[in-house]
Amino acid sequence: MCGIVAAVADRNIVPVLLEGLRKLEYRGYDSAGLALINDSGLHRLRSVGRVAELTAQVDELRAAGNTGIAHTRWATHGVPCERNAHPHVSKGLAVVHNGIIENHESLRGRLIALGYDFTSDTDTEVVAHLIAHELKNAPDLLTAVRQAVAQLQGAYAIAVLRESDPSRVVVAREGAPLLLGLSDDACYAASDASALVQVTRRMVYLENGDCAELMRDTYRIARVDGTAVERPETESQLSADAIELGNYRHYMQKEIFEQPVALANTLEMLGAARSIQPGIFGAESEATLREVRQVLIIACGTSYHAGLVARYWLESIAGIACSVEVASEYRYRDSVPDRQTLVVTISQSGETADTLAALQHAKALGMAHTLCICNVPESSLVRENTLRFITRAGPEIGVASTKAFTTQLAALYLLTLVLAKVRGRLDEQEEATELHAVRHLPMAVAKILELEPEIREWAGRFSMKQHALFLGRGRHYPIAMEGALKLKEISYIHAEAYPAGELKHGPLALVDRDMPVIAVAPNDALIEKLKSNLQEVRARGGELYVFADADSEMKESDGIHVLHLPEHYGALSALLHVVPLQLLAYHVALVRGTDVDKPRNLAKSVTVE
C-alpha cells in the first residue's frame, strides 16, 4: 500500500528519490522518509504528512548522496508519527519496507533478548535489527538480507543500505511488488514503474523469493537460498505524460474524461473483425473455455462490483453458471471446488494482496483454469494466471477507480461473448450486432460526459446531506453499489445501495426529506417495477434523483429530478450508467472540499491483507 524508491548512481540521486515518491503518492500514505549515504556518512530524514514536507526538509538541509532509499508509509503497526516513519536503522543499516511481517512479535522478543533496542512500534524495525544481527557472521549485505528474510513470515518488499558499503543497495520481495530500473550510469528499485519512468524505461520485475544487489553499473539476483537467477529485462510502455495531471483539477476528473479513449484502447484488438476470437484472452483460451462449465469471479472493491455485473451477462447471454466472491472472504471459507471452473480474478493494479492469495487458494483446490483481467501487464496477477486480458486503461492515479472499472466491464463483456460463442449461443447475426454495440461504447460514453453541467447542479443540491440511498435493479444493482462506493470514498457521505425491490424490506424506514435517493433507471424489463419503488420513496417525502434512459418516459415533478442519458444501450447500459454516478461523486466532493484524489484512510493499491 505504501511505496519504495531506491537508487545507486555516480551523481546526486535525491531528486530522483523525491520525484519517485511523488509519483507513488497515489498509492496512499501518512508519512515519508529517506536515507542517504554521502562522504559524511548515513543520513536519515523523516516527516509525517505529504512528500512536500519531506522535500522541504531536504531543501533546508541541502541533503545529497549517491546512494539512497526512500519510502511512503501507510500505518499498519503504530500510529502515524515520525518515530514510526521509515527508514528504520540499526548499527549503520537503514531499511524501508512494504507489507506486514506476521511473526514480528516473536522476532522482536528474540532480538530484545539479544540486546537490540526498539524505538518504534512498527513491524519493520524487526527487519533492520535482524539484518544487522545476521551481518555479524555474513560475508556481505546480500547474504545477510537473504538469511534475514528467510526468517520472516508475511508479505514484504524491502530495500537496505549500509553506511560502511556505500556502493550498493540490496532489495528483496515476497508478496509485495518490487521491480528494478536500469540505466547506463545507475541502478534503481521501486514499487511501481511510475516512480522510475522519469529516469529509465528498462525494467526487471522481481519474483517472490528474489533478492537483488544493486550497484551503479550492474546488479545480480539470487533466491533466498542463494541460487543465482536471471529475470528478463523489459521496456515499460508507461508514458511519463500519462501520469501528469495536465489541465485537469484532479486525477479523478482526468480519468473520468479519459474513459472514451481508455475504452477505445481496450477494444482496439477487435479491429474491424467480423467475429470475436477467443485468442484475445491468450493462445490457450479456446481449448480452456470449451472445457469450463461454470465461472468463479474473485475480486475486491470496485473490481468486485464489475464481477457482479458480469454475473448477469454470463448467465443470461452465455448461459453459464457464475458466482462472485469477495477475495478476502473466499480464501477463508470452506468451498466446494470444481476442476471445470474458470477462475476469473480482477484487479486494477494486479498487486491486490487478497486477490492474489485467493487465486493461490483456488489453484491449491485444484482449479487450474485461471484468467485475470488487469490494467498492469507486468503485475504479479498477470504472471500468475494462465489466461489474461490487459485492459489498457493507462495509469489510474486517483484512489477512487473510474476508467479501470469501465474497461473491466468491457473486458468482461468480451469474455461473455466469447463464452457464448464457444457454447453455441451466439449466431453470426447476433455476433455482428454485439460487436457493433461494443465498438460504439467510446462514443456513447463521450456523449454522457457532456451531461456534466446538469450533474454539477445536482451535486450542489444535496452535497451537505449526511446520508444517501442508491437503488437499482438487475444488472444495475451493482452499478448502484458502485455509485454509493464512489460517493462515500471521496465525499465521506454515508451511502448505501439496495436492490430497489428490497426497499420495503427495511431501507424504506430511513427515507425522509433529508435522505436523497439516487436511482439507476434504464428502460429495461424492470422499469415499471422500479417506477413503483420510486413512488414509495416519494410517498414518504424522499427526494429522488433519477438517471434514466432517453426513452424511459420518466418525467420531472416535485421532488423528482430526472436526468436522461443520450440513448438506451441494452445489456451494456450498466457500463454507461456508472459514468454519471462517477461525475456526481466527484462534484459532490468538490463542493464539500474533500481531497478528491487522496481520500482519508484509503490507499490505491491494497498490497497487504
Side-chain angles (χ1 to χ4, degrees), residues 144-218:
V145 169
R146 288 195 298 99
Q147 292 172 347
V149 299
Q151 303 171 58
L152 303 180
Q153 297 171 14
Y156 58 80
I158 64 171
V160 190
L161 52 74
R162 185 185 188 189
E163 185 175 17
S164 61
D165 190 3
S167 63
R168 70 196 71 229
V169 169
V170 173
V171 301
R173 75 154 291 191
E174 179 66 46
L178 196 66
L179 57 90
L180 310 183
L182 312 175
S183 68
D184 294 338
D185 61 353
C187 276
Y188 309 93
S191 302
D192 189 317
S194 64
L196 298 181
V197 290
Q198 52 168 318
V199 288
T200 184
R201 291 183 181 278
R202 295 166 56 201
M203 308 289 180
V204 174
Y205 290 85
L206 299 180
E207 300 288 343
N208 284 335
D210 283 354
C211 303
E213 181 182 58
L214 311 184
M215 292 157 281
R216 183 191 66 77
D217 55 358
T218 189

Side-chain angles (χ1 to χ4, degrees), residues 281 284-285 287-289 291-296 298 330 336-345 358-372 381-388:
F281 294 98
E284 304 172 13
S285 58
T288 298
L289 296 179
E291 287 184 24
V292 300
R293 63 185 183 190
Q294 64 181 17
V295 176
L296 167 63
I298 303 172
Y330 170 71
V336 181
D338 185 329
R339 293 178 184 272
Q340 289 182 280
T341 297
L342 176 67
V343 179
V344 180
T345 47
L359 172 63
Q360 291 158 5
H361 176 67
K363 287 180 176 180
L365 293 176
M367 293 186 284
H369 300 318
T370 64
L371 161 69
C372 76
L381 193 65
V382 170
R383 294 197 298 272
E384 293 194 18
N385 275 271
T386 306
L387 307 178
R388 60 195 60 87

